[in-house]
Short mmCIF file of all heavy atoms in Angstrom, two decimals:
data_model
loop_
_atom_site.label_atom_id
_atom_site.label_comp_id
_atom_site.label_asym_id
_atom_site.label_seq_id
_atom_site.Cartn_x
_atom_site.Cartn_y
_atom_site.Cartn_z
N ALA A 14 112.01 118.68 102.51
CA ALA A 14 113.05 119.48 103.15
C ALA A 14 112.77 120.96 103.00
O ALA A 14 113.17 121.77 103.87
CB ALA A 14 114.42 119.13 102.55
N ALA A 15 112.08 121.34 101.93
CA ALA A 15 111.72 122.74 101.71
C ALA A 15 110.43 123.11 102.43
O ALA A 15 109.99 124.27 102.34
CB ALA A 15 111.59 123.02 100.20
N GLY A 16 109.82 122.17 103.14
CA GLY A 16 108.61 122.42 103.89
C GLY A 16 107.35 122.43 103.02
O GLY A 16 106.27 122.81 103.49
N LEU A 17 107.45 121.95 101.79
CA LEU A 17 106.32 122.06 100.86
C LEU A 17 105.32 120.92 100.99
O LEU A 17 104.23 120.99 100.39
CB LEU A 17 106.85 122.13 99.42
CG LEU A 17 107.79 123.30 99.15
CD1 LEU A 17 108.32 123.25 97.73
CD2 LEU A 17 107.07 124.62 99.41
N LEU A 18 105.67 119.89 101.75
CA LEU A 18 104.74 118.77 101.92
C LEU A 18 104.11 118.74 103.31
O LEU A 18 103.35 117.82 103.62
CB LEU A 18 105.47 117.43 101.67
CG LEU A 18 106.06 117.23 100.26
CD1 LEU A 18 106.67 115.85 100.14
CD2 LEU A 18 105.00 117.46 99.18
N ASP A 19 104.41 119.72 104.13
CA ASP A 19 103.82 119.76 105.49
C ASP A 19 102.30 119.74 105.42
O ASP A 19 101.69 120.56 104.71
CB ASP A 19 104.29 121.00 106.23
CG ASP A 19 105.75 120.92 106.64
OD1 ASP A 19 106.36 119.86 106.42
OD2 ASP A 19 106.27 121.91 107.18
N GLY A 20 101.69 118.81 106.13
CA GLY A 20 100.24 118.71 106.16
C GLY A 20 99.63 118.11 104.94
O GLY A 20 98.41 118.02 104.85
N ARG A 21 100.44 117.68 104.01
CA ARG A 21 99.94 117.11 102.75
C ARG A 21 100.15 115.59 102.71
O ARG A 21 101.06 115.06 103.32
CB ARG A 21 100.62 117.74 101.54
CG ARG A 21 100.32 119.22 101.36
CD ARG A 21 100.98 119.74 100.09
NE ARG A 21 100.75 121.15 99.89
CZ ARG A 21 99.74 121.64 99.19
NH1 ARG A 21 98.87 120.82 98.62
NH2 ARG A 21 99.60 122.96 99.04
N ARG A 22 99.31 114.94 101.95
CA ARG A 22 99.48 113.51 101.65
C ARG A 22 100.49 113.41 100.53
O ARG A 22 100.45 114.16 99.55
CB ARG A 22 98.16 112.90 101.23
CG ARG A 22 98.19 111.42 100.88
CD ARG A 22 96.77 110.85 100.77
NE ARG A 22 96.77 109.54 100.12
CZ ARG A 22 96.42 109.31 98.88
NH1 ARG A 22 96.03 110.33 98.10
NH2 ARG A 22 96.45 108.10 98.37
N ALA A 23 101.45 112.47 100.66
CA ALA A 23 102.52 112.35 99.67
C ALA A 23 103.04 110.93 99.64
O ALA A 23 102.82 110.14 100.56
CB ALA A 23 103.66 113.31 99.98
N THR A 24 103.75 110.60 98.57
CA THR A 24 104.39 109.30 98.45
C THR A 24 105.77 109.46 97.86
O THR A 24 106.16 110.54 97.41
CB THR A 24 103.54 108.33 97.60
OG1 THR A 24 104.01 106.99 97.77
CG2 THR A 24 103.62 108.69 96.10
N THR A 25 106.54 108.40 97.90
CA THR A 25 107.84 108.34 97.25
C THR A 25 108.16 106.87 97.02
O THR A 25 107.32 106.01 97.22
CB THR A 25 108.92 109.04 98.12
OG1 THR A 25 110.15 109.14 97.34
CG2 THR A 25 109.19 108.31 99.40
N HIS A 26 109.36 106.59 96.55
CA HIS A 26 109.78 105.19 96.35
C HIS A 26 109.58 104.43 97.65
O HIS A 26 109.89 104.92 98.73
CB HIS A 26 111.25 105.18 95.94
CG HIS A 26 111.75 103.83 95.50
ND1 HIS A 26 111.89 102.78 96.38
CD2 HIS A 26 112.16 103.37 94.30
CE1 HIS A 26 112.38 101.74 95.73
NE2 HIS A 26 112.53 102.09 94.45
N TRP A 27 109.04 103.22 97.56
CA TRP A 27 108.68 102.44 98.76
C TRP A 27 109.86 102.30 99.70
O TRP A 27 109.71 102.26 100.93
CB TRP A 27 108.16 101.06 98.36
CG TRP A 27 109.12 100.19 97.62
CD1 TRP A 27 109.25 100.07 96.26
CD2 TRP A 27 110.13 99.34 98.18
NE1 TRP A 27 110.26 99.20 95.95
CE2 TRP A 27 110.82 98.72 97.12
CE3 TRP A 27 110.48 99.02 99.49
CZ2 TRP A 27 111.85 97.81 97.31
CZ3 TRP A 27 111.53 98.10 99.69
CH2 TRP A 27 112.22 97.53 98.60
N ASN A 28 111.11 102.25 99.16
CA ASN A 28 112.26 102.02 100.01
C ASN A 28 112.59 103.23 100.89
O ASN A 28 113.32 103.11 101.86
CB ASN A 28 113.47 101.69 99.13
CG ASN A 28 114.60 101.07 99.93
OD1 ASN A 28 114.39 100.21 100.78
ND2 ASN A 28 115.82 101.53 99.68
N TRP A 29 112.04 104.41 100.53
CA TRP A 29 112.35 105.62 101.28
C TRP A 29 111.11 106.25 101.93
O TRP A 29 111.19 107.34 102.47
CB TRP A 29 113.03 106.65 100.37
CG TRP A 29 114.46 106.30 100.15
CD1 TRP A 29 115.53 106.50 100.96
CD2 TRP A 29 115.00 105.61 98.99
NE1 TRP A 29 116.70 106.02 100.42
CE2 TRP A 29 116.40 105.45 99.20
CE3 TRP A 29 114.44 105.12 97.82
CZ2 TRP A 29 117.22 104.84 98.26
CZ3 TRP A 29 115.27 104.50 96.89
CH2 TRP A 29 116.64 104.38 97.12
N CYS A 30 109.97 105.53 101.87
CA CYS A 30 108.77 106.07 102.54
C CYS A 30 108.99 106.19 104.04
O CYS A 30 108.55 107.16 104.67
CB CYS A 30 107.57 105.18 102.25
SG CYS A 30 106.81 105.47 100.64
N GLY A 31 109.67 105.20 104.64
CA GLY A 31 109.95 105.25 106.07
C GLY A 31 110.83 106.43 106.42
O GLY A 31 110.60 107.13 107.43
N GLU A 32 111.84 106.70 105.59
CA GLU A 32 112.73 107.83 105.83
C GLU A 32 111.96 109.13 105.71
O GLU A 32 112.16 110.07 106.53
CB GLU A 32 113.88 107.81 104.84
CG GLU A 32 114.87 108.94 105.02
CD GLU A 32 116.08 108.86 104.09
OE1 GLU A 32 116.36 107.74 103.61
OE2 GLU A 32 116.70 109.89 103.88
N LEU A 33 111.08 109.23 104.73
CA LEU A 33 110.29 110.44 104.57
C LEU A 33 109.40 110.68 105.78
O LEU A 33 109.30 111.81 106.28
CB LEU A 33 109.42 110.32 103.30
CG LEU A 33 108.50 111.49 102.95
CD1 LEU A 33 109.27 112.78 102.79
CD2 LEU A 33 107.67 111.17 101.71
N ALA A 34 108.79 109.61 106.28
CA ALA A 34 107.90 109.75 107.44
C ALA A 34 108.68 110.08 108.72
O ALA A 34 108.24 110.90 109.53
CB ALA A 34 107.11 108.46 107.63
N ASP A 35 109.86 109.48 108.88
CA ASP A 35 110.66 109.70 110.09
C ASP A 35 111.24 111.10 110.13
O ASP A 35 111.25 111.77 111.17
CB ASP A 35 111.79 108.66 110.17
CG ASP A 35 111.27 107.27 110.45
OD1 ASP A 35 110.12 107.14 110.91
OD2 ASP A 35 112.02 106.29 110.19
N LYS A 36 111.78 111.56 109.01
CA LYS A 36 112.45 112.87 108.98
C LYS A 36 111.47 114.02 108.93
O LYS A 36 111.76 115.13 109.42
CB LYS A 36 113.41 112.94 107.77
CG LYS A 36 114.61 112.03 107.87
CD LYS A 36 115.60 112.32 106.77
CE LYS A 36 116.27 113.67 106.94
NZ LYS A 36 117.36 113.90 105.98
N TYR A 37 110.30 113.76 108.34
CA TYR A 37 109.33 114.85 108.18
C TYR A 37 107.96 114.39 108.69
O TYR A 37 107.07 114.04 107.88
CB TYR A 37 109.28 115.26 106.70
CG TYR A 37 110.64 115.61 106.15
CD1 TYR A 37 111.34 114.70 105.34
CD2 TYR A 37 111.25 116.81 106.45
CE1 TYR A 37 112.60 115.01 104.86
CE2 TYR A 37 112.50 117.14 105.95
CZ TYR A 37 113.19 116.22 105.17
OH TYR A 37 114.43 116.53 104.69
N PRO A 38 107.78 114.35 110.00
CA PRO A 38 106.55 113.80 110.59
C PRO A 38 105.28 114.57 110.22
O PRO A 38 104.18 114.05 110.41
CB PRO A 38 106.82 113.85 112.09
CG PRO A 38 107.91 114.87 112.27
CD PRO A 38 108.75 114.77 111.03
N ARG A 39 105.42 115.77 109.71
CA ARG A 39 104.23 116.56 109.36
C ARG A 39 103.70 116.15 107.98
O ARG A 39 102.63 116.59 107.55
CB ARG A 39 104.55 118.05 109.38
CG ARG A 39 104.90 118.59 110.75
CD ARG A 39 105.10 120.09 110.75
NE ARG A 39 103.85 120.78 110.40
CZ ARG A 39 103.76 122.10 110.22
NH1 ARG A 39 104.83 122.86 110.33
NH2 ARG A 39 102.60 122.65 109.91
N VAL A 40 104.45 115.32 107.26
CA VAL A 40 104.01 114.82 105.96
C VAL A 40 103.15 113.57 106.15
O VAL A 40 103.52 112.68 106.90
CB VAL A 40 105.20 114.51 105.04
CG1 VAL A 40 104.72 114.00 103.68
CG2 VAL A 40 106.08 115.73 104.88
N LYS A 41 102.02 113.50 105.50
CA LYS A 41 101.14 112.33 105.56
C LYS A 41 101.58 111.34 104.49
O LYS A 41 101.09 111.34 103.38
CB LYS A 41 99.69 112.76 105.36
CG LYS A 41 99.19 113.78 106.35
CD LYS A 41 97.79 114.28 105.99
CE LYS A 41 97.33 115.37 106.93
NZ LYS A 41 96.00 115.93 106.55
N VAL A 42 102.52 110.49 104.86
CA VAL A 42 103.15 109.58 103.90
C VAL A 42 102.23 108.40 103.61
O VAL A 42 101.79 107.70 104.53
CB VAL A 42 104.51 109.09 104.40
CG1 VAL A 42 105.15 108.15 103.38
CG2 VAL A 42 105.43 110.27 104.68
N ASP A 43 101.95 108.15 102.34
CA ASP A 43 101.18 107.01 101.89
C ASP A 43 102.08 106.15 101.02
O ASP A 43 102.41 106.55 99.90
CB ASP A 43 99.95 107.46 101.11
CG ASP A 43 99.00 106.31 100.78
OD1 ASP A 43 99.43 105.15 100.89
OD2 ASP A 43 97.85 106.58 100.42
N PRO A 44 102.52 104.99 101.50
CA PRO A 44 103.50 104.17 100.73
C PRO A 44 102.86 103.38 99.62
O PRO A 44 103.57 102.71 98.87
CB PRO A 44 104.05 103.24 101.82
CG PRO A 44 102.92 103.07 102.78
CD PRO A 44 102.23 104.41 102.82
#
């Protein structure tokens, strides 16, 4: 939300990886 993951590979709890990818498409989400 602070724009700090834009263009970066990142992960989070598996249950919220989809939300992270949907809300912040510039983040390279790896579940």
Side-chain angles (χ1 to χ4, degrees):
L17 301 177
L18 299 183
D19 288 355
R21 294 183 182 269
R22 179 168 167 257
T24 194
T25 188
H26 189 292
W27 62 266
N28 195 44
W29 284 280
C30 280
E32 181 176 339
L33 179 59
D35 291 342
K36 292 189 69 173
Y37 306 102
R39 296 185 64 186
V40 180
K41 302 173 184 177
V42 180
D43 187 344

